[in-house]
Amino acid sequence: MDRIRKITRLRILVLFKVTALLASCTQHPGLHESSGFKLLADRVEQGTFVAQAISPVEIQSNYISPTATKQNPRTSWKLTQDLSEYPKFQSKQTLLDALYNLSLEEVIENIGKEEHFSTGPHLKDIGTRDISYSILLALAITHPEISKANLMKKVKNGRIVQDTGTGGSWPVSSDRMTWSIAAWEIYKITGDKDWLKTAYKFIKRSMDEDLNVIWDYKKHLFRGESSFLNWREHSYPRWMEPIDIFNSINLSSQAIHFQSLKILTAMGRLLGHEVEKYDHIAKALQKSINKQLWLPEKAYYSQFLYGRDYLHKSEKSETLGEAFTILFDIAPRDRQKMIVASTPVLKYGIPCFYPQIPDVPPYHNDAIWPLVQAYWNWASAKTGNDKAVSHGLAAIMRPAALFLTNKENMVASTGDFDGTVANSNGQLGSVAGMLSSVYRVIMGMNFEPEGLRFAPLIPKTYSGAHSLTNFKYRKAILNIEIVGFGNQIQRFYLDGKKNSSHIIPSETKGVHHIRIELNNSFSKENRINLVENRYTPETPVIQKVANQLVWRATHNNDKYLIYRNGQQIATTNQPRFDNIETETHAEYQVQSMNKTKGLSFLSKPVRFVGEDYQKSIEAEYYAPPSQFKSSNYSGYGFLMLSKRQNRNIDFGVRVPENGKYRVEFKYANGSGPINNDNKCCVRTLWVNRIYRGAVIFPQRGDNTWDEWGYSNSIEVELKQGYNRLTLSFEEFNENMNGKVNRTLLDHILVTRMEPYLQPLISQK
């Protein structure tokens, strides 16, 4: 059988070599060429592998994964679906035309019997973020009504659903507001006022909950997990628990919340509601993103701030977040160009983040996603960078042509689908990404409440006529033709008459013809940051031994950087550090640096706290202890907090003087696993009857009620003498489960922060 298989492969390779040779004799302009592959108007060439567009409705490919563990799903594709109701795209690039048609077919194949989208032809359900990102890219254009139906499946009890996720979902996983971006796009495309009213209610309630629970009123930033990069160990340090992920400040999540606030403001104004507070919060958030996440030496934004008591900027780029800062105008205009020119890209496309984490297999780490690439292409087009767009179009067309389907992701260093942890054919986000290459980049479509605005970017190698006919926009049908290349419109004609606004008003009706002539020019300053794939050093695992920090020497690392309270204080080439401050309070971390000055993640923080500056208060002092079965707790018991038991608990603490203190709670939550479910416990902390923030008790393991850890810490101002602390269950503390919202509470830990004038005294 293996011999027959090898002979079959050999025959296919010979056939395609002959095909490639014949094709090379025909004059087909090159669109893109790199050390990995060549893209031409009608084919892709990658070593001995060739994908040839025979026509706009047929592609043949001889691609076989070099590792030979997985077969390409097919060797040819030919259109079988009726696409007559969809916009028809035509260009001088036969391969682009064919991939557009292939993607429309895969969209149709992703529609189930109930007229809802799935993530792929063989998958049933799709998450809030996945459907929302796909709708924004293209599905609001091709299928607005089905897109509405999918979004409505992600609403429960009048609020947007956060899918199951880290630590029991929301508020650790906190990107459900992607729903608002998709809902707004549907309104801009359809003009449906009933949909606007419906969507506004859900967005407002969900945003109000987020402002009460994950909005940091001191930092003016939102807490919670990265949007899209939600597979913990694939993008975060291994030491980070769900509570650490909740505490982190992620670029993509900030961008999503910023745009959601702007959308809520715009919707409210259209509907005549008072929404100024959301606009004010959006402006504060934008200012904080630009101040606290920008990496001036890198000329892009940090992937996230992470740590415990002291947050540190990761030096990694995060592609989806970087793209959103451009598309949502979070970054100033001059920064937008810098981001596209500076963010690292690889020969097969742009990775989810860069550099990669060592010893983590490709999925989010060490991977290229067409979904992410599509947003990057859109953002690159917005800045007018033709080099980034040309590279990006090639990165999204190559795999779809060779694999004859829109795969979910590829290994960053090989461009192959084999080797990824999980994958699927016809993945909806990738399909939408391919379609967006036509709608958002080539045709330059930008939908606004007042109309459809055009801002195309066509690289010089794609020069020639591009047309999109039978395009349905509200009550109009548009036939659009773009000629030339460039990133500026030189002439814009509507039904033969010049139009200086480049906008088709939303009230336009009937059939209209649009002709766009481009300027045939680009800035010579446009560039991209093409790099080799690189991995960060291993993250040190540090331990506290007496008054020392020690760790195992990590491979190929030249130095170790020592941090105290978020600031670098020393450098050493030895795997230990002796100069420890132990009498008051300090938090230490260590970072590896290799010989090329690449930096690891910072290690898990280690605290040194003088005994006089920290006090634990047993929870069972304040209510009868629970009879729930558990072990490993301190004192003589613990409390059960649920929607029925101990909804409001008052604690007392005496302190010697006014000052800043850190309050956190030791807890157990065995309602579900660390990586899934939706039973994260949420409560609200009040200090002397003043709201101080949300306390989060993520799941720590399924039915592991003797696995104890600490909640997030909240820094509070306490007054000299007696202070009353209240832990309460409020309406906005309802989690995504709606029924189970419980935790075991062992004790309260209160720590005196700087300045350290007197020891802490704590009592009932």
Side-chain angles (χ1 to χ4, degrees), residues 11-203:
R11 286 174 177 171
I12 292 172
L13 287 174
V14 171
L15 174 64
F16 272 82
K17 281 184 178 180
V18 172
T19 303
L21 182 62
L22 292 172
S24 65
C25 296
T26 308
Q27 293 298 317
H28 288 285
L31 303 179
H32 173 84
E33 186 169 359
S34 72
S35 60
F37 66 98
K38 183 188 295 185
L39 180 70
L40 293 95
D42 67 334
R43 65 190 183 277
V44 176
E45 297 176 2
Q46 185 173 313
T48 59
F49 302 125
V50 179
Q52 178 85 34
I54 308 302
S55 73
V57 295
E58 184 177 1
I59 308 173
Q60 292 183 358
S61 173
N62 70 338
Y63 188 83
I64 301 171
S65 174
T67 57
T69 62
K70 293 180 182 178
Q71 285 292 106
N72 200 40
R74 51 194 175 189
T75 57
S76 65
W77 164 82
K78 194 168 185 178
L79 182 66
T80 59
Q81 297 284 349
D82 178 10
L83 304 183
S84 59
E85 66 176 281
Y86 298 97
K88 183 178 181 180
F89 177 71
Q90 290 179 294
S91 71
K92 298 294 185 182
Q93 294 81 43
T94 312
L95 183 61
L96 180 59
D97 298 356
L99 291 174
Y100 173 80
N101 291 328
L102 180 152
S103 300
L104 280 178
E105 181 167 82
E106 290 194 325
V107 170
I108 296 169
E109 291 171 349
N110 273 307
I111 300 172
K113 293 180 181 179
E114 298 179 355
E115 290 293 295
H116 291 118
F117 289 119
S118 62
T119 50
H122 307 295
L123 302 174
K124 292 183 179 180
D125 199 15
I126 183 168
T128 301
R129 80 176 63 86
D130 297 330
I131 188 60
S132 298
Y133 285 146
S134 301
I135 288 171
L136 177 57
L137 281 172
L139 302 186
I141 296 172
T142 60
H143 296 85
E145 295 305 316
I146 296 179
S147 295
K148 286 180 191 176
N150 267 88
L151 289 184
M152 289 305 296
K153 287 182 67 176
K154 295 301 174 182
V155 174
K156 184 179 179 181
N157 299 325
R159 59 209 290 250
I160 300 167
V161 172
Q162 180 77 45
D163 297 305
T164 57
T166 299
S169 189
W170 186 86
V172 178
S173 298
S174 60
D175 69 343
R176 60 180 174 157
M177 298 309 293
T178 51
W179 192 98
S180 67
I181 299 170
W184 180 235
E185 196 69 12
I186 291 171
Y187 168 72
K188 290 189 293 181
I189 289 170
T190 64
D192 186 339
K193 289 290 180 66
D194 290 335
W195 172 251
L196 182 69
K197 293 174 184 176
T198 299
Y200 174 81
K201 290 187 299 183
F202 302 145
I203 296 169

Side-chain angles (χ1 to χ4, degrees), residues 27 38 41 62 73 155 188 248 361 464 481 512 529 599 640 754:
Q27 293 298 317
K38 183 188 295 185
N62 70 338
V155 174
K188 290 189 293 181
S248 65
E481 180 187 21
H512 297 275
N529 183 19
L599 296 172
M640 167 66 82
E754 295 185 79

Side-chain angles (χ1 to χ4, degrees), residues 88-90 443 445 452 454 466-471 477-482 492 504 512-516:
K88 183 178 181 180
F89 177 71
Q90 290 179 294
M443 307 309 294
M445 292 178 164
L452 168 56
F454 288 89
H466 295 78
S467 68
L468 191 68
T469 56
N470 191 37
F471 183 80
I477 296 177
L478 307 178
N479 296 309
I480 308 153
E481 180 187 21
I482 302 178
F492 187 101
I504 304 302
H512 297 275
H513 299 271
I514 299 165
R515 178 180 169 87
I516 298 172

Side-chain angles (χ1 to χ4, degrees), residues 385-512:
N385 191 321
D386 61 309
K387 290 182 174 60
V389 169
S390 181
H391 181 275
L393 288 174
I396 209 166
M397 290 169 65
R398 179 201 68 87
L402 287 172
F403 310 152
L404 297 169
T405 184
N406 289 285
K407 283 282 191 179
E408 184 176 9
N409 56 66
M410 285 77 66
V411 178
S413 54
T414 67
D416 192 18
F417 60 88
D418 194 12
T420 56
V421 174
N423 222 313
S424 63
N425 297 335
Q427 205 270 348
L428 192 64
S430 301
V431 171
M434 179 62 72
L435 292 174
S436 76
S437 299
V438 170
Y439 300 140
R440 303 299 191 174
V441 178
I442 299 294
M443 307 309 294
M445 292 178 164
N446 294 278
F447 297 92
E448 299 171 357
E450 61 271 19
L452 168 56
R453 179 173 56 84
F454 288 89
L457 187 151
I458 297 179
K460 186 175 182 178
T461 53
Y462 289 75
S463 184
H466 295 78
S467 68
L468 191 68
T469 56
N470 191 37
F471 183 80
K472 300 177 180 66
Y473 171 61
R474 297 198 180 188
K475 295 182 180 181
I477 296 177
L478 307 178
N479 296 309
I480 308 153
E481 180 187 21
I482 302 178
V483 294
F485 69 90
N487 61 358
Q488 297 290 328
I489 295 175
Q490 190 159 319
R491 299 179 189 86
F492 187 101
Y493 298 94
L494 176 59
D495 297 328
K497 296 180 180 178
K498 276 192 177 181
N499 181 320
S500 60
S501 67
H502 309 161
I503 292 179
I504 304 302
S506 58
E507 63 272 15
T508 302
K509 298 179 182 179
V511 179
H512 297 275

